[in-house]
């Protein structure tokens, strides 16, 4: 089912996307015939029961796993053509916030935020400036030299958001960003996430948390690998 | 038609990318400090052995061989067979060369530039039993059971050329008191009619009884010259100008000595033989050092591979995160290979630095095994630095290939789920 406006070119367009996993001798159809459009300036919440394929959808959008069939267009260009270089170039336009932050444990908060910049070959001094600015935006300017194990759950997520935003991506994907947080920290993270939606940026949030999903411009429901939207 | 993604705006220049790669690699190395230190130590030992062999080998080649060839020239020395015999004094009348021998050799060996009587001191320190009466400053003293010490200056011409010998001696403390001389005034004394410079005072021999105390101690070289029987020669030196004449001179000398002295009554020692022997010692040292270095580097190679395999197993989650943050797989592979190479190069540099600082000491240890060498100085050649760094760096790089392949086959999603 196709969602979104037909008046603008979508940032992301999925058409007939299918994905299966091999589990022993069985093949599990995780996603079936998914059609989805994501537009700049919009936020989308993906909800559904456990095992319905939400995270797989996020991983497909992040180009971390290939699709079995269908078409994935990013800014009008087809991806998954077997060209790793091209896929990485597209991935660099995407920021990802994982459920538990997935910060690198032996790096400080500042160094973690520098990671995406390091892989883009930004000069270290400029990296530091950009990372400090990103951490300042999420209220972690006082935690620059702290390691992940010295940060609270909320701080970890805010650091992860800073890392996702430091490269100014056009698409931000958040996989259960408030799943492990208490309500207060969850509220802070929700505010931060929806505050980043700009005319030149789209947000996709996977969540079980109804208050978070309700903040999105639209909610997409996945059930048994198929998409339903309102 | 494809267009370049907007992320290209952030893509840095090649130098910036290389700098970032180096920084990320350094961050990776810092994770496993203990294992890294052990590997560095092993690599450093291999590098140490390798660079030391080059430093000393090049030092011997550049400083020693040239000096030795200049100093030694082309010569051969014929010594009586009993020269090093402890019972030399009892046999000397039969074993020492005589003036007649010298004259005969001079007549027979025409190809030599010079044939002269020669004497070189021995470096041995020993007590020898003999009875000899000498006149010291007009006082007759018996030198029985005199302790003989290392030669101070013992090389020169004997008999006719005795004037070229620098006669020096050291006196025991008791002898200084007995003779009542002032050492500070650089005195000379007469021993058996020859003038000796007193160059120092040596403690009385340990455990000496009263019999030793008033005695005079002279260098063995001088004593040896003094003990020569009248008309005896210490050794015969034959020298020539060019190395091509060697076989001819040595052959002639051997023939002449066998004619006048008989076979097995002398030994020949040539400059070339000494140089070759010294070269052989240094060459053996270099081979031994390089074999040792090879084994150390082989062990370090396994160590680097082990460190890298452990590291990538522990860091698969990190690599997956980096890939999801926009890292290219080639960058991750480069990180792994650079990390293993840096382990090799860092170990090599530690080894080279240690080797450079300990090379003079090792040179002194080695020189004690080479006759006629005063000082074996290391030469800090470029290859002594470059080879260990290249070999260890290459060993590190190769050790990183297998871990890099494992990273390449990594399942990103599975690694992302793994939070360890």
């Amino acid at each position: 089912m196709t969602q979104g406006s037909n008046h603008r070119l979508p940032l992301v367009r999925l058409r007939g996307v299918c994905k299966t996993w091999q589990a022993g001798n069985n093949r599990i159809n995780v996603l079936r015939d998914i059609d989805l459009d994501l537009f700049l300036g919009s936020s989308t919440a993906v909800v559904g029961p456990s095992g319905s394929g939400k995270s797989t959808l996020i991983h497909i959008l992040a180009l971390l796993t290939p699709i079995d069939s269908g078409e994935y267009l990013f800014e009008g260009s087809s991806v998954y053509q077997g060209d790793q270089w091209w896929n990485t170039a597209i991935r660099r336009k995407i920021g990802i916030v994982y459920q538990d932050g997935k910060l690198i444990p032996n790096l400080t908060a500042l160094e973690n935020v520098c990671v995406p910049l390091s892989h883009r070959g930004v000069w270290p001094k400029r990296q530091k400036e950009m990372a400090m600015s990103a951490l300042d935006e999420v209220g972690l300017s006082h935690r620059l030299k702290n390691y992940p194990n010295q940060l609270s759950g909320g701080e970890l997520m805010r650091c992860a958001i800073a890392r996702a935003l430091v490269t100014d991506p056009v698409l931000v994907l958040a996989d259960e960003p408030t799943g492990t947080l208490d309500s207060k920290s969850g509220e802070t993270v929700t505010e931060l996430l929806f505050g980043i939606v700009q005319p030149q940026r789209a947000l996709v949030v996977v969540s079980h948390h109804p208050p978070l999903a309700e903040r999105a411009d639209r909610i997409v429901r996945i059930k048994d690998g198929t998409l339903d939207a309102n | 038609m494809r267009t370049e993604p907007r992320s290209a705006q952030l893509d840095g220049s090649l130098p910036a990318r290389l700098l970032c790669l180096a920084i990320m690699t350094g961050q990776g190395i810092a994770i496993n400090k203990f294992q890294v230190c052990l590997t560095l130590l092993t690599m450093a030992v291999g590098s140490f052995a390798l660079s030391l062999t080059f430093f000393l080998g090049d030092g011997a080649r550049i400083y020693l061989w040239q000096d030795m060839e200049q100093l030694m020239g082309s010569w051969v020395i014929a010594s009586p067979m009993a020269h090093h015999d402890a019972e030399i004094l009892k046999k000397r009348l039969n074993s020492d060369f005589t003036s007649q021998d010298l004259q005969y050799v001079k007549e027979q060996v025409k190809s030599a530039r010079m044939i002269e009587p020669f004497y070189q001191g021995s470096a041995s320190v020993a007590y020898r039993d003999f009875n000899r009466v000498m006149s010291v400053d007009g006082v007759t003293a018996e030198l029985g059971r005199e302790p003989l010490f290392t030669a101070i200056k013992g090389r020169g011409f004997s008999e006719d050329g005795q004037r070229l010998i620098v006669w020096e001696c050291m006196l025991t403390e008791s002898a200084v008191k007995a003779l009542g001389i002032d050492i500070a005034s650089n005195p000379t004394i007469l021993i058996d009619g020859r003038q000796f410079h007193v160059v120092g005072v040596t403690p009385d021999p340990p455990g000496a009884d009263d019999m030793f105390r008033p005695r005079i101690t002279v260098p063995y070289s001088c004593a040896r010259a003094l003990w020569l029987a009248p008309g005896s020669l210490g050794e015969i030196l034959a020298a020539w100008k060019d190395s091509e004449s060697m076989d001819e001179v040595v052959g002639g000398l051997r023939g002449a000595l066998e004619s006048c002295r008989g076979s097995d009554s002398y030994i020949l020692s040539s400059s070339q033989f000494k140089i070759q022997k010294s070269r052989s010692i240094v060459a053996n040292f270099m081979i031994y050092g390089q074999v040792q270095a090879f084994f150390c580097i082989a062990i370090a190679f396994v160590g680097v591979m082990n460190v890298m395999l452990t590291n990538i197993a522990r860091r698969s989650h990190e690599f997956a995160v980096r890939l999801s943050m926009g890292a290219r797989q080639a960058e991750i592979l480069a990180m792994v290979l650079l990390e293993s190479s840096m382990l090799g190069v860092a170990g090599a540099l530690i080894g080279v630095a240690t080797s450079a600082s300990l090379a003079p000491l090792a040179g002194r240890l080695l020189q004690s095994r080479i006759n006629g060498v005063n000082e074996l100085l290391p030469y800090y050649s470029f290859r002594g630095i470059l080879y260990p760094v290249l070999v260890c760096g290459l060993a590190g790089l190769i050790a990183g290939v297998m871990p890099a392949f494992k990273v390449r086959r990594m399942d990103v999603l599975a690694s992302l789920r793994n939070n360890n």
Side-chain angles (χ1 to χ4, degrees), chain A residues 40-203:
Chain A
L40 287 172
S42 71
S43 57
T44 305
V46 180
V47 296
S50 291
S52 58
K54 304 186 298 294
S55 293
T56 302
L57 179 62
I58 287 285
H59 292 145
I60 286 172
L61 289 172
L63 286 84
L64 293 175
T65 186
I67 55 177
D68 293 337
S69 61
E71 189 177 36
Y72 178 178
L73 299 174
F74 193 96
E75 291 181 331
S77 300
S78 179
V79 299
Y80 289 126
Q81 297 172 344
D83 187 341
Q84 289 282 340
W85 198 265
W86 179 252
N87 286 357
T88 304
I90 291 173
R91 194 183 296 137
R92 288 181 174 183
K93 302 173 83 173
I94 301 170
I96 308 175
V97 181
Y98 293 102
Q99 183 175 7
D100 51 1
K102 294 207 188 302
L103 299 184
I104 298 171
N106 59 299
L107 302 183
T108 63
L110 184 67
E111 289 167 342
N112 263 291
V113 177
C114 285
V115 165
L117 300 171
S118 294
H119 290 290
R120 284 158 177 79
V122 178
W123 285 104
K125 190 181 172 188
R126 176 79 181 125
Q127 279 182 34
K128 199 173 171 184
E129 290 168 359
M130 293 172 74
M132 285 171 75
S133 170
L135 282 166
D136 190 40
E137 282 178 28
V138 297
L140 282 180
S141 54
H142 62 297
R143 293 292 210 175
L144 300 179
K145 295 192 175 175
N146 286 91
Y147 287 91
N149 61 3
Q150 297 167 327
L151 302 177
S152 67
E155 288 172 332
L156 275 175
M157 289 311 299
R158 283 190 277 156
C159 187
I161 292 170
R163 183 177 66 181
L165 295 179
V166 72
T167 54
D168 195 19
V170 292
L171 175 63
V172 175
L173 306 171
D175 188 5
E176 302 274 11
T178 58
T180 58
L181 302 181
D182 57 54
S183 57
K184 189 181 173 188
S185 299
E187 185 59 31
T188 309
V189 168
T190 304
E191 287 295 328
L192 270 173
L193 274 175
F194 284 95
I196 66 172
V197 180
Q198 299 170 359
Q200 290 305 313
R201 184 179 291 153
L203 171 69

Side-chain angles (χ1 to χ4, degrees), chain B residues 167-169 187-189 191 194-198 218 222 226:
Chain B
W167 297 98
E168 293 177 338
C169 71
T188 57
I189 58 173
I191 301 178
R194 294 190 177 97
Q195 195 172 49
F196 281 73
H197 295 284
V198 180
V218 297
C222 297
L226 288 168

